[in-house]
Amino acid sequence: MQNREVDVAIIGAGTAGLSAWQAARQHGDKIVLIEGGEGGTTCARVGCMPSKLLLAAAEAAQRTRDATGFGIRTGSVEVDGGAVMAWLHQERDRFVGQVLDSMERIPAEQRLAGTARFESPQVLRVGDDLRVKARAIVIATGSRNHWPDLLSNAGDRLVVNDDVFRWQTLPESAAVFGPGIIGLELGQALHRLGVRLRIFGKSGSLGPFQDAKLRDYADRTFNESFYVDPQAKVEEIRREGNQVAITFQERHSGRRLTERFDYLLAATGRRPNLEALALEQAELELDEHGVPHFDRFTLQCHAADGGPSPVFIAGDANHELPLLHEASLQGRIAGDNAGRYPERRAGRRTTPLSIVFTDPQIATVGLSRQAHEERLGGCRHVATGEASFEGQGRAVVMRQERGRLHLYAEHGTGLLLGAELFGPQVEHMAHLLAWAVEERACVSRLLEMPFYHPVLEEALRSALRDLSAKLEHGPAITARCLEYGPGIERG
């Protein structure tokens, strides 16, 4: 058995792990980055980037079909599934290659290949013949797909998003279970590429929506082009020949149907990769799912005895916010604190921001209205401003006049709190709103900003005007201005 002693050991070389390594190395070079699987990050290999490649191909096909609405005759659209997937693989491999190239720049002595598990809070066994003792350890092992037992009845017809990006061509049909971010993005893309499709949910949720009015609007909009049932009544799933047979109650007619699909795509959520770590040896306080309790500002795990723990956790492994930019931020905080352990510093967490690249797009900024009501003490403290893209000038010109905006602000101060958006290209407005929330901007100050004509952002101005009209200003604004300084309402 070989023994090695380091200052920081990082388990996992994905986005969070690489970010942790970058931060920890500012405190010294006695660091090891341990990876037990494929390199290349989930985002580059089977996540953000290949999904956006599939979406880009689907959007190109849809734009060609939609051109007839402008009086442009393009003929029928023919999708070559093999060519689409070949292009996707080629571009995906470029993204993965860039990540692997960056990993190669990490000194060889700081990279270890093998599966790590805890022997004690500061000792890891890597593989069968190496023991690593570290002053601090960062868990950045990412996550994996999981699904309810019922879906396993599909046998080898059950696939996850990882499998989709290994396809050599497109199937004729697919059933998607889970109308969350992944399910909606991949489902709509497959539909636009000519795959016969149905999307089934269970809880009634749709994407990241918390606002019931927006969720219902989006539900109706998506169902105009492909089938989505967020609260499906599925009676049976079985493997049948080379397909999977699904018996369900059809949402619109109420009829009991059995349909057969080439694949069942499970997009029902992800679970942290923690089982192989032997966390019981790390002496951590775990929740009912076996995930360590941690401080979201330091990313330090809670020790089982209530004392300080030398273990930190970042990215999808902690199951807080499974988004790449959050994994990168958390990795920096965890790596910095691991590098300076036992000293620690609270990292600055940014405004929550989530974008779904469907058409129309979905975006959420900040906390939900319900979360703000709970934080502020009730609905009387929060106002909602609304606007529609229906009839909005630029949206009409683009023939994309579907969608709504909901903005939230605090009575008394006019402070912008967050937003939920559903509409064309709202990814850009979501960034502007996230920056505004981050800067503690007030609604009246945002209305002083320039708005060009004709642009989609004019719908944002309409929502801000509606919000301003509903806000009840009061003496509290003076105290809030003094607290946050410039950048909010002046008066």
Side-chain angles (χ1 to χ4, degrees), residues 4 25 101-102 145 160 174 195 197 284 303 315 319 392 418 428 459 467 469 477:
R4 184 169 175 184
R25 67 195 289 257
D101 287 345
S102 68
N145 292 282
V160 295
V195 177
L197 182 91
L284 301 174
H319 207 52
Q392 198 270 339
H428 308 297
L467 184 55
I477 192 168

Side-chain angles (χ1 to χ4, degrees), residues 345-362:
R345 295 181 181 177
R348 186 174 184 277
R349 302 300 298 271
T350 56
T351 299
L353 172 63
S354 177
I355 298 171
V356 187
F357 293 88
T358 49
D359 181 17
Q361 290 182 345
I362 305 167

Side-chain angles (χ1 to χ4, degrees), residues 344-386:
R344 64 178 184 179
R345 295 181 181 177
R348 186 174 184 277
R349 302 300 298 271
T350 56
T351 299
L353 172 63
S354 177
I355 298 171
V356 187
F357 293 88
T358 49
D359 181 17
Q361 290 182 345
I362 305 167
T364 61
V365 177
L367 302 178
S368 67
R369 177 186 172 117
Q370 180 181 355
H372 282 297
E373 288 174 356
E374 293 172 357
R375 182 178 65 87
L376 295 171
C379 61
R380 65 184 181 279
H381 294 291
V382 182
T384 299
E386 303 181 17

Side-chain angles (χ1 to χ4, degrees), residues 192-403:
R192 288 181 162 187
L193 291 169
V195 177
R196 179 172 60 83
L197 182 91
R198 288 189 189 265
I199 300 180
F200 301 97
K202 183 178 180 180
S203 67
S205 63
L206 186 70
F209 286 118
Q210 297 296 313
D211 188 304
K213 188 175 178 180
L214 268 178
R215 182 194 62 222
D216 293 344
Y217 182 98
D219 186 5
R220 293 192 300 272
T221 301
F222 286 134
N223 270 284
E224 290 174 3
S225 55
F226 58 93
Y227 182 92
V228 186
D229 187 351
Q231 207 162 8
K233 294 179 176 63
V234 176
E235 298 178 12
E236 184 183 18
I237 297 173
R238 65 182 184 275
R239 176 80 158 74
E240 193 172 281
N242 290 324
Q243 293 185 309
V244 55
I246 301 174
T247 300
F248 63 99
Q249 184 175 309
E250 206 274 342
R251 177 184 187 181
H252 306 297
S253 67
R255 293 180 301 154
R256 185 176 183 270
L257 298 178
T258 296
E259 291 189 0
R260 290 157 185 82
F261 302 88
D262 293 329
Y263 291 102
L264 187 160
L265 171 58
T268 47
R270 298 182 69 85
R271 177 174 294 166
N273 291 322
L274 299 173
E275 287 83 356
L277 293 176
L279 286 179
E280 65 277 4
Q281 302 299 322
E283 300 176 9
L284 301 174
E285 181 186 338
L286 308 179
D287 67 14
E288 65 274 18
H289 303 294
V291 179
H293 288 286
F294 64 98
D295 184 312
R296 71 182 303 269
F297 294 101
T298 64
L299 282 304
Q300 185 177 29
C301 295
H302 299 170
D305 63 4
S309 170
V311 180
F312 299 79
I313 188 166
D316 287 9
N318 67 35
H319 207 52
E320 184 194 19
L321 293 167
L323 300 166
L324 179 136
H325 68 279
E326 288 287 347
S328 180
L329 173 62
Q330 291 182 24
R332 287 199 301 275
I333 295 171
D336 178 67
N337 278 321
R340 66 175 69 251
Y341 184 80
E343 181 192 349
R344 64 178 184 179
R345 295 181 181 177
R348 186 174 184 277
R349 302 300 298 271
T350 56
T351 299
L353 172 63
S354 177
I355 298 171
V356 187
F357 293 88
T358 49
D359 181 17
Q361 290 182 345
I362 305 167
T364 61
V365 177
L367 302 178
S368 67
R369 177 186 172 117
Q370 180 181 355
H372 282 297
E373 288 174 356
E374 293 172 357
R375 182 178 65 87
L376 295 171
C379 61
R380 65 184 181 279
H381 294 291
V382 182
T384 299
E386 303 181 17
S388 173
F389 284 101
E390 296 178 13
Q392 198 270 339
R394 184 63 186 274
V396 172
V397 168
M398 298 165 62
R399 301 188 73 250
Q400 295 182 32
E401 51 177 316
R402 297 305 305 272

Side-chain angles (χ1 to χ4, degrees), residues 433-471:
L433 288 167
W435 297 345
V437 172
E438 193 77 6
E439 288 296 308
R440 309 287 187 181
C442 276
V443 173
S444 60
R445 178 67 184 119
L446 293 172
L447 282 169
E448 294 172 357
M449 297 297 180
F451 287 84
Y452 202 77
H453 174 76
V455 293
L456 293 171
E457 283 73 13
E458 287 178 296
L460 176 57
R461 181 176 60 185
S462 296
L464 286 167
R465 285 173 171 169
D466 183 55
L467 184 55
S468 180
K470 293 174 179 176
L471 281 170

